Amino acid sequence: MNAIGSPISRVDGPAKVTGAATYAADFAIANLAHAALVQASVPAGRIAAIDTRAAEAAPGVLAVMTHENTRRLPWHPRDPRPGVDPKSGERLHPLEDDLVRYDGQPVAMVVATSEVEARAAAELVRVSYAPTAARTRFDPAYGHEPSAATAKAGRPGDTARGDPEDAFTRSEVTVDVPFVQPREQHVAMEPHATIAAWDDEGGLTLYDKSQWVDNVRTEIGLAFGIDEKRIRVISPFVGGAFGSGLRTWPHVAMAALAAERVGRPVRLALTRRALFTNTGYRPRTESRIRLGADRDGTLSSIVHEAIGQTSTYEEYAETTLTPTRQLYACENVATHYRLVDMNVNTPSPMRGPGAATGQLFLETAMDELAQALGMDPLDLRLKNLAERDPDSGKPWSSKALRACYEQAAERFGWADRPRDDAARTVGHERIGSGMASAFYPAHRSKARASVTLYANGGAMVQAATSDMGPGTYTALSQVAADALGLPLEQVRVEIGDTALPQAPAHGGSITMATLGNAVANACSRLREDLGVENGGDLVAALGGRDSHRAEGSSSPGKEAQDYESAAFGAIFAEVRVDPELGTVRVARLVGGYDVGRVVNPKLARSQCIGGMVQGIGMALTEEALFDERLGRVMNANLAEYLAPVCADVGALEAFFVESDDRIFNPLGVKGLAEIALCGVAAAIVNAVHDATGLRLHRVPVTPERIVMAQAARGG
Amino acid sequence: MQPFAYHKVRDAETAIAHGARDPQTIFLAGGTDLVQLLEDGISRPQGVVDISALPFDAIATTIDGLRIGALAKLADVADHAEIRARYPAIAAALGETASPMVRNMATMGGNLLQRTRCLYFRDGVSPCNKRAPGSGCSARLGHDAQAALFGASEACVATHPSDLAVALLALDAEVLVVGPSGERSIPLDRLHRLPGETPWIESDLEPGEVITAIFVPREAAGRAQAYAKLRHRASFEWPLVSAAVSLALVEGTIEDARIALGAVAHKPWRAETAERLLIGRRIDDALAREAGEAATDGARPIAENAAKIPLMARIVTRALQDCARQQAGDPS
Amino acid sequence: MSETTTGGAARPSASSSASDALPGAAHEVRLVVNGEVHTLAVDPRATLLDTLRDRLGLTGAKKGCAHGSCGACTILVDGRRAVSCLMLAAACDGREITTIEGLATNGALHPVQQAFVDQDAFQCGYCTPGQIMSVAGLLAEGRARDDAAVRDELSGNICRCGAYPNILAAVRQVSGIEPTPAEIGADARLRDAAGGA
C-alpha cells in the first residue's frame, strides 16, 4: 500500500468546496463585539491630539482606545527571537505611545457591537499630528550594512571568495546590469483577522490567521506577561498567506486588548487597505550585478550588490544574495548587501523571500551575459552547473538540476523555439522565449507530532502546524497511512491548534521535511509501543483498549553539517508581446523541478502552477505604488494592486524529475513552496527581451514601460 | 459608513422629490460604485434613495434609434441581440467592463455616473479637491498613470473610467433625464463636466434629476464601429486608455467620423483633429496610423502619464483598423 | 420552505412610510436564502455579505476586499452571479439568494463542487466558494462557450494561490468544453489525456 506518491485528492476538499471550512473570521462566538482601526495619515511625527468624543457618542460604540487610555503591556523580549522576526530593532507596540513611524500605523481603535458601527465610529476619530521629517524616498545613498545579528542570521553585508574585482577586469566578456524590483504585497485572499476571547480565569483564546500558532502563543504570552499555557491559538484553515502569517502582527495584541477592555470577545478583521500597512510585504530591492566570463561561457566573476528597504523601527533583511553565491560554479564571487531605513511598516518574508528577488536579478543578468557571449542561455547554465556547493565546497545531498534543464527544455521545445521574424509573428503579436534556473535552499526544523490509533481502525494525527494551501492535511494523512498500513480514509489529521504537539513555522518550504518525518516517527513509536512489525495487525495489538497514542519527533541531524541541501528547477516561458500596445501575455510556462520525493504529485503540481501564477504577477502586473511625498501606498486595494486573473494565465506545465533525498531526511522530501516562484519572473522578462529586443531592468514589465523603452531606443 | 436613511421608491416622482428636498441625496441603482464610496467614507449621504425598482430597464428599438433603459443591467445590454448586431461598439465596451458579477448588477445610468478611480480620491485620506474641496490635488504631481491628458485643471487631473461612456460618445448618444423641471435630453458629450475649479461637480444633472434612458440614434447602427481597450491585466481592470470610433462610410469613403477616447480626461473625450482628418478619405492601415497620431493633438502630459500618449495613438489606430476589417468584410 | 424571523440589534423603522425614515433607522427585509425565508431588521448600511455571514451564520461567502474586486463573496441572486459585498441588504427585499451552503443537495456535492475536488481547483480554499458560485452562474447563464470565454468569465474571481488552470479543468469537466488544439499542445496533462506524445 503506497499512499505516498499517489495523486490523491485533497482530504479537506469537501470542507472547502461546501463553505464548511472555518477561517479566522468565520468562527461563531457568542456575544461577539467588533473592532476597527484608526490609521495614521502622516509618515512620521507625533500625535498632537486625539478627539474621540464623536466616536464615543456614535451608536453601538463600546470603547475608543488610544495611547492615552490603553494600558501599557510589558512586551517582555523574546530570546532568542524566532527565525521569522527581524534580528535587530523592536516590534511595534500598538497604542503605547504618540510616535507615528509610518503612514497607516494604528493610532486608535474603536470597539462596537457590530463591524459597521465600529468602522463608522472610527471615521469620526479626529487625530491631529505634529509631523516630523520622514524618510519616504528609497535612496541607495542611505544604504547601511546589516547589523551583526542580521549578518549572523545569513544576511551578511559583504562576502567574497576568490578575487572577483580583479577577475572581472580580466574577464573576456562582461555585463553590468542594474535592476529594480518594487515593493510587492502578499494579497492572500483571506484578510488577516483575529477573534480574542478571555475566560473568567484570565485565559485567552485566539482564533487567528496564522502560519505558526505556537509563535502567536509565545509572543502574546510575553506581550501580556502571562504564562503561555493559558493561551490557546486556533487556526485550522488559513486562506493563503505566502509569508504574511509567519509573524505575530500588532493587530493580534490589539484584538486581545480590545476584548480585555470591553469584557467581551472581540473580532478585529483588517480591511484590505489596512492589510497593506499592518502586515508585511516583499521589500523594494535595487540591484547591480556584474558578470564576467571566458569566451566559452565559463563564469569568471560575479559581483552582486543589492539594497533592500526596511522600516525605521526594525531591521528586516533577506537572503537576496544567497543564490548568487550558490547557484553557479564560479571561483570569484562577491556580494554586497545594504539596507535603507524608511518610514514604512516593516517588510516580511513573502514566498521565496530573498531568493526569488535575487534570482530575478541573477537570471536576467545571465540572459544578458548569454547574449553578450552569443551563447544559448541554456548552454550557459549547463556550462556553469555547480556539482558541489560552490560557496561551502560541501557536496549537495541531492541535485538533479541537469535533468530539470534537459527535460524541461525538451517538453518546452526550446531547441525548436521560433527565432526568425516570420515564425515569431502572429498578427499583432511577437512570440518570445526565455528561460531561467530556480534554486531554493532546503531546511528542516524541530517538530513533534502525535498519532492515536483507535479500536475501530481509525487513526488521528495531531500537530500544531498549519495548512495555508499546499496540502498539509492531505500529505500528513498519506505519510501516516503508509506508516500505519491503514487506508487513507481511516486517517484524520488535526492541525492549527496550540493544544496539539509543538511545530515550527509553516513556511520556508520546511513543513513536509519537518512534520512529515515527525509523523512518520510517531507512527514508528506507535508500532514499537504495540510491538507490531510492518504488516502486522496494529488494531488487534490494542488488545481491547479503546486507543493508543504515541508521540514522535524529528530534528535535523549531522547531514546539515556535512551536506548542502536545496531544491532546484528550470523554467521556460513563451510570451506573446504586442509591441505597439506594449502588452505581454504569458502563453505558456514549463517548469521542471527537483524537489526530492513528491508525496502527492497532484497537489505538488498545483503548488508549482500557483508559484508560476505569482511569478506572472511579479513579472507583469504587481507593484505597490508608493507616493514619496505622502509616504503612502496608493493602490492599497485589489482593483489597482494587480494580482493576476484567470485571463492572464496561459497553459502551465509543471513536472518533477526523479528525485529522492534520503540524506537530507528520512522521508526524502526537499520542499517546493518557495522554489515554485523562483526564476519564473526572470524567465518571462527574458522572453520579453527575446520578443522585442528590449531590456527592461525593472518589473513589472508594463505597456507604459515597454513603449517608453522603445522611445528611448529610438523606435 | 455613516448612518443614512434608506428609502425605496416605486415611482420617479418620489425619487425626484427626495433629490429636490435634499441635494445631498444619493440615488442607489446597481450600487457597484456607490457601495464602495460609502464603505470608504468618501460618500456620506443623509439619505440613500433606492431607485432600482423604477420601471426604467427596458431596451427598445424605435423608429429613431435605440432606447436603453437607465436601469438595464450591463450584462443584459451586452447580450442583447440587436445591440450586438447593430451597435457592436456598445456590446464590446460592456463586454470589457468590470467582471461578470458586476455586469449582472451594475446599471447603464450608474456606469455613466461612476466616479473616478484616481488613487488619491479613492484612498479617502490624501489631499483631493474632488473629495475634500480646497485640500489640493495630490495626483497632479503624484505617480499615477491615470492622470488626464486633456482638459485637466490645477484643481484636478482625474479621469473618467467608464468604457461604456466612450462607446456612447462615439455613437452620438443622448441621456434622457427626468427631474423637478420635467424631462430633457443631454448629449453625452455634455453629461460630464471638466473639473475646472469645481471638480466635485461632475455632471450636468440637477439635484433630483434621474437618468431614465440612453438614446442612441438610428444613424449609429449603420456605421462601422469599434471599441478598443488597453489595460495591464488581460481582464477585469479599468482602461489605461481606450478608444471608440464610428465611421459613416459611403462606398468606402468616410463621410463622418467620431472618435472618443477613454481614461484620458474628466469626461470621455472627442478627438476632433483626428475626426476631421478622416473625412473624405478611405480607411486603410496608413490612414488609421495617421489618425491615431492626430488623436493625441493637444494632449498635455503631467507626472507619470506620458506613456499614455503613444498608447492612445495606437489604440485609436487599432479601433480604426478594426473598422477597416469590417469594411473589407473580414469579421475577424 | 420554512420561515424564520431574526430580530436585529437595530430598531425597526416605526413608520411604514419610507420617506419618514431617519438616518440609521433599521429596515425590514425578507430574504429567501437557499430556499429558506428570513425576515430581518437590518441596518441600512449592512451589506448582504455581512448580513449572510454575521446575521444568518452563512460564512461560506467570504470577504476578500469589500469592494467587488476579488469575487470571494460571489453568490447567486435570482439565479445570477453577484458580489454580495456591494449589495445593501436593505435593497435585497424579496430576492432569492443561493450561497455555497445551498449548492449541495442531500449531502451530495454539486457537480461543480465535485469537479473542483477532482481537478484540485484550489489550494487554500478561501476564494473557492466564490469561484464555485461563479462557475455555477456562468454555466446557468450559458456563457461557457470555450476556454477563452471561460477564462474571461472567471476573471472576476481572484485566486492568489493560482489554481486557474485547474479551475478551467473543472469547468471543462462539468461543461464538456473541449480544450483547443493549442491548449492540448501546451499542457502535458491534456496531451496525456488525449493519448498523444
Side-chain angles (χ1 to χ4, degrees):
Chain A
M1 179 167 352
N2 267 325
I4 293 177
S6 296
I8 290 157
S9 292
R10 241 165 247 276
V11 298
D12 50 337
K16 286 178 173 175
V17 300
T18 55
T22 42
Y23 301 81
D26 296 344
F27 283 87
I29 307 296
N31 201 29
L32 189 64
H34 300 261
L37 301 181
V38 179
Q39 297 177 253
S41 57
V42 297
R46 299 257 168 205
I47 298 166
I50 299 191
D51 182 349
T52 60
R53 286 170 298 182
E56 280 162 8
V61 170
L62 302 169
V64 181
M65 300 175 69
T66 71
H67 71 282
E68 292 172 347
N69 66 10
T70 301
R71 79 173 175 106
R72 303 288 174 268
L73 296 176
W75 288 103
H76 296 303
R78 283 184 78 170
D79 187 25
R81 294 188 181 198
V84 297
D85 278 6
K87 297 295 167 278
S88 169
E90 182 54 38
R91 66 178 55 255
L92 204 66
H93 299 176
L95 306 184
E96 183 172 284
D97 59 33
D98 64 351
L99 190 63
V100 176
R101 297 154 183 86
Y102 67 88
D103 182 271
Q105 176 188 318
V107 292
M109 173 168 56
V110 176
V111 192
T113 52
S114 72
E115 190 168 332
V116 73
E117 289 167 327
R119 293 196 50 215
E123 288 176 6
L124 302 177
V125 174
R126 291 282 162 265
V127 187
S128 52
Y129 301 95
T132 52
R135 190 179 289 175
T136 50
R137 194 158 69 88
F138 184 100
D139 187 345
Y142 290 118
H144 63 81
E145 277 199 59
S147 64
T150 296
K152 197 175 158 214
R155 290 129 171 100
D158 299 305
T159 74
R161 64 175 187 253
D163 191 346
E165 292 289 351
D166 182 58
F168 184 79
T169 56
R170 288 187 289 99
S171 295
E172 291 173 328
V173 178
T174 62
V175 293
D176 185 343
V177 185
F179 213 100
V180 178
Q181 178 232 268
R183 170 172 172 167
E184 295 166 359
Q185 305 279 157
H186 303 80
V187 296
M189 298 321 296
E190 184 199 8
H192 281 257
T194 306
I195 296 172
W198 295 90
D199 62 32
D200 294 341
E201 284 77 47
L204 175 64
T205 302
L206 295 165
Y207 302 86
D208 187 37
K209 169 173 175 160
S210 172
Q211 291 169 250
W212 193 5
V213 289
D214 286 336
N215 184 48
V216 175
R217 176 169 67 170
T218 303
E219 174 148 336
I220 297 301
L222 289 167
F224 280 77
I226 58 176
D227 184 347
E228 70 174 50
K229 292 193 185 67
R230 299 170 73 186
I231 302 174
R232 183 174 175 196
V233 183
I234 296 171
S235 181
F237 290 97
V238 179
F242 316 107
S244 73
L246 290 169
R247 295 194 72 189
T248 307
W249 297 113
H251 70 268
V252 181
M254 295 181 81
L257 276 169
E260 179 184 78
R261 170 71 70 90
V262 302
R264 288 169 66 168
V266 168
R267 183 174 84 196
L268 174 54
L270 297 185
T271 62
R272 182 53 68 180
R273 185 172 290 281
L275 286 164
F276 281 67
T277 47
N278 287 274
T279 62
Y281 56 91
R282 190 190 302 283
R284 179 190 180 93
T285 306
E286 299 193 357
S287 162
R288 180 189 174 196
I289 185 161
R290 286 177 286 155
L291 300 176
D294 300 340
R295 282 261 166 249
D296 71 353
T298 305
L299 279 168
S300 51
S301 173
I302 306 175
V303 182
H304 194 172
E305 303 156 48
I307 307 177
Q309 71 181 146
T310 185
S311 68
T312 56
Y313 56 98
E314 285 180 300
E315 185 183 77
Y316 174 78
E318 299 207 311
T319 53
T320 315
L321 297 170
T322 298
T324 304
R325 295 189 289 268
Q326 290 189 283
L327 188 44
Y328 295 112
C330 179
E331 291 174 5
N332 305 296
V333 177
T335 63
H336 306 287
Y337 184 60
R338 298 291 183 272
L339 295 163
V340 177
D341 303 344
M342 294 176 64
N343 286 96
V344 292
N345 54 313
T346 306
S348 78
M350 177 168 151
R351 195 174 199 170
T357 300
Q359 284 170 87
L360 172 63
F361 303 147
L362 179 62
E363 291 301 288
T364 50
M366 285 291 280
D367 203 64
E368 299 201 23
L369 180 63
Q371 186 189 8
L373 286 160
M375 194 170 178
D376 188 296
L378 174 59
D379 294 340
L380 179 64
R381 267 72 170 197
L382 286 165
K383 181 89 189 169
N384 293 286
L385 192 81
E387 301 291 358
R388 300 173 77 83
D389 171 26
D391 209 37
S392 66
K394 292 180 198 171
W396 301 106
S397 56
S398 68
K399 181 169 186 173
L401 180 55
R402 186 180 298 278
C404 294
Y405 286 134
E406 292 172 351
Q407 293 176 31
E410 175 69 27
R411 291 194 187 213
F412 181 83
W414 179 251
D416 305 320
R417 65 192 185 275
R419 292 166 207 254
D420 61 73
D421 266 6
R424 290 174 178 284
T425 305
V426 181
H428 289 295
E429 295 182 329
R430 283 177 67 80
I431 298 172
S433 309
M435 59 84 58
S437 308
F439 162 82
Y440 196 82
H443 299 292
R444 50 195 290 237
S445 187
K446 285 199 292 197
R448 295 189 299 124
S450 72
V451 62
T452 307
L453 182 73
Y454 297 94
N456 66 3
M460 171 75 83
V461 173
Q462 293 177 310
T465 186
S466 302
D467 188 348
M468 62 173 153
T472 314
Y473 281 105
T474 311
L476 294 184
S477 301
Q478 291 174 263
V479 170
D482 279 3
L484 299 175
L486 292 175
L488 189 82
E489 304 73 47
Q490 283 170 240
V491 180
R492 279 188 53 204
V493 172
E494 278 188 358
I495 58 176
D497 187 338
T498 51
L500 306 173
Q502 182 194 337
H506 171 51
S509 304
I510 69 167
T511 298
M512 278 316 288
T514 303
L515 266 302
N517 287 298
V519 169
N521 180 251
C523 294
S524 300
R525 293 273 177 83
L526 187 114
R527 286 190 173 283
E528 288 167 22
D529 288 356
L530 298 177
V532 178
E533 297 289 309
N534 257 338
D537 188 340
L538 279 167
V539 176
L542 281 175
R545 281 173 291 173
D546 288 343
S547 65
H548 181 76
R549 179 178 184 275
E551 206 164 286
S553 65
S554 167
S555 53
K558 190 169 170 296
E559 78 283 346
Q561 281 92 58
D562 299 341
Y563 293 90
E564 283 291 317
S565 297
F568 299 93
I571 319 295
F572 292 79
E574 180 184 305
V575 299
R576 306 287 172 96
V577 182
D578 184 328
E580 289 188 341
L581 299 183
T583 52
V584 180
R585 303 293 176 231
V586 176
R588 56 196 186 100
L589 293 171
V590 175
Y593 299 95
D594 161 21
V595 294
R597 197 152 159 236
V598 175
V599 174
N600 186 325
K602 183 175 191 170
L603 275 54
R605 177 187 167 278
S606 293
Q607 206 171 356
C608 286
I609 64 170
M612 290 177 178
V613 172
Q614 290 183 6
I616 291 170
M618 187 180 200
L620 302 180
T621 59
E622 293 185 40
E623 175 170 13
L625 295 171
F626 190 77
D627 187 305
E628 295 174 352
R629 301 161 308 159
L630 300 167
R632 181 169 300 147
V633 176
M634 294 314 307
N635 56 342
N637 62 55
L638 289 179
E640 274 105 8
Y641 183 89
L642 299 171
V645 296
C646 193
D648 290 311
V649 177
L652 307 183
E653 179 174 344
F655 69 94
F656 304 98
V657 303
E658 199 173 321
S659 173
D660 190 351
D661 194 339
R662 303 291 172 122
I663 293 175
F664 179 46
N665 65 81
L667 200 55
V669 301
K670 295 201 283 192
L672 59 82
E674 323 300 322
I675 195 158
L677 180 70
C678 294
V680 178
I684 294 168
V685 171
N686 293 341
V688 171
H689 168 262
D690 185 55
T692 63
L694 297 170
R695 291 289 182 191
L696 288 120
H697 294 134
R698 180 180 190 131
V699 287
V701 174
T702 61
E704 297 102 301
R705 287 183 179 140
I706 286 187
V707 299
M708 293 313 260
Q710 286 168 343
R713 190 175 62 176
Chain B
M1 214 186 292
Q2 297 305 310
F4 54 78
Y6 170 84
H7 312 284
K8 180 117 181 174
V9 296
R10 307 276 167 197
D11 56 75
E13 292 69 28
T14 311
I16 293 163
H18 273 295
R21 196 164 60 222
D22 172 12
Q24 304 306 313
T25 294
I26 300 258
F27 292 139
L28 169 71
T32 52
D33 192 30
L34 177 59
V35 176
Q36 295 185 53
L37 295 165
L38 293 170
E39 181 79 21
D40 290 336
I42 294 169
S43 183
R44 297 185 176 190
Q46 289 285 304
V48 169
V49 174
D50 182 348
I51 59 168
S52 62
L54 299 185
F56 298 150
D57 61 350
I59 303 169
T61 309
T62 69
I63 192 149
D64 302 328
L66 177 72
R67 191 186 152 105
I68 308 171
L71 291 170
K73 304 288 202 238
L74 304 188
D76 293 330
V77 179
D79 284 348
H80 195 268
E82 166 96 1
I83 292 169
R84 297 186 76 81
R86 308 192 51 164
Y87 305 90
I90 295 175
L94 292 173
E96 297 198 45
T97 296
S99 71
M101 286 77 81
V102 171
R103 295 197 290 270
N104 279 340
M105 301 163 67
T107 65
M108 294 291 279
N111 181 281
L112 296 180
L113 297 180
Q114 68 181 299
R115 305 192 70 188
T116 183
R117 296 303 305 178
C118 177
L119 302 177
Y120 299 89
F121 170 77
R122 291 274 169 179
D123 82 348
V125 186
S126 300
C128 169
N129 288 321
K130 185 185 281 293
R131 190 187 65 247
S135 62
C137 173
S138 304
R140 172 158 280 281
L141 295 173
H143 55 181
D144 185 354
Q146 287 185 41
L149 291 166
F150 300 101
S153 68
E154 281 298 315
C156 182
V157 299
T159 52
H160 197 266
S162 170
D163 295 292
L164 170 67
V166 181
L168 292 178
L169 179 60
L171 299 184
D172 201 15
E174 292 175 9
V175 170
L176 310 181
V177 304
V178 61
S181 326
E183 295 183 19
R184 64 180 179 127
S185 83
I186 308 171
L188 200 101
D189 203 18
R190 293 223 301 273
L191 176 65
H192 302 96
R193 299 167 56 130
L194 288 178
E197 297 306 305
T198 56
W200 55 92
I201 304 174
E202 294 169 351
S203 83
D204 191 47
L205 295 176
E206 300 290 337
E209 279 191 321
V210 180
I211 302 179
T212 58
I214 291 154
F215 174 76
V216 189
R218 183 168 193 78
E219 199 264 341
R223 289 178 168 230
Q225 55 190 267
Y227 182 74
K229 174 176 180 175
L230 178 63
R231 47 187 165 183
H232 294 113
R233 290 199 297 218
S235 187
F236 196 19
E237 190 184 355
W238 278 273
L240 178 59
V241 290
S242 71
V245 301
S246 76
L247 305 177
L249 296 160
V250 176
E251 290 173 356
T253 300
I254 300 167
E255 293 256 301
D256 185 48
R258 291 178 69 94
I259 300 178
L261 308 174
V264 294
H266 204 251
K267 55 190 284 189
W269 190 260
R270 285 277 295 278
E272 290 172 357
T273 304
E275 291 175 354
R276 281 195 299 272
L277 180 143
L278 292 169
I279 305 299
R281 299 173 69 178
R282 302 180 77 83
I283 186 72
D284 62 14
D285 203 59
L287 183 61
R289 289 180 191 281
E290 193 185 338
E293 286 301 320
T296 67
D297 187 37
R300 293 177 51 171
I302 55 165
E304 295 187 2
N305 65 354
K308 288 208 296 192
I309 294 178
L311 291 171
M312 182 170 59
R314 294 167 193 183
I315 208 75
V316 168
T317 299
R318 284 295 164 83
L320 287 166
Q321 287 170 332
D322 194 357
C323 288
R325 270 197 302 279
Q326 294 168 25
Q327 173 66 9
D330 174 4
S332 68
Chain C
M1 220 181 249
S2 63
E3 294 256 356
T4 64
T5 300
T6 311
R11 298 159 284 121
S13 178
S15 164
S16 59
S17 165
S19 61
D20 295 339
L22 296 168
H27 190 85
E28 192 163 283
V29 291
R30 180 176 169 277
L31 305 176
V32 185
V33 184
N34 301 329
E36 191 173 331
V37 178
H38 299 268
T39 305
L40 301 96
V42 297
D43 186 319
R45 296 171 291 177
T47 62
L48 179 59
L49 174 63
D50 284 346
T51 304
L52 291 170
R53 291 178 52 83
D54 289 340
R55 297 286 300 281
L56 301 182
L58 296 170
T59 55
K62 305 299 183 198
K63 188 185 284 188
C65 70
H67 285 69
S69 311
C70 76
C73 65
T74 302
I75 58 170
L76 302 184
V77 177
D78 297 335
R80 299 189 358 163
R81 288 176 283 177
V83 277
S84 54
C85 71
L86 293 184
M87 303 183 81
L88 297 179
C92 293
D93 190 35
R95 298 296 194 94
E96 293 215 10
I97 290 155
T98 308
T99 71
I100 190 74
E101 291 90 345
L103 217 53
T105 44
N106 303 323
L109 295 182
H110 183 280
V112 177
Q113 292 173 316
Q114 187 61 52
F116 267 61
V117 174
D118 294 344
Q119 301 294 337
D120 204 35
F122 53 90
Q123 288 192 50
C124 80
Y126 194 81
C127 74
T128 309
Q131 300 277 2
I132 289 172
M133 298 311 290
S134 192
V135 171
L138 101 90
L139 294 172
E141 293 164 23
R143 298 179 191 275
R145 294 186 301 278
D146 54 32
D147 286 347
V150 171
R151 281 197 169 99
D152 192 55
E153 284 287 325
L154 292 180
S155 284
N157 297 86
I158 297 177
C159 171
R160 186 56 162 168
C161 298
Y164 301 126
N166 295 355
I167 294 169
L168 187 61
V171 176
R172 288 189 189 123
Q173 179 176 321
V174 288
S175 67
I177 293 174
E178 294 294 330
T180 61
E183 296 275 354
I184 294 170
D187 188 324
R189 290 192 313 164
L190 297 176
R191 285 201 300 273
D192 295 346

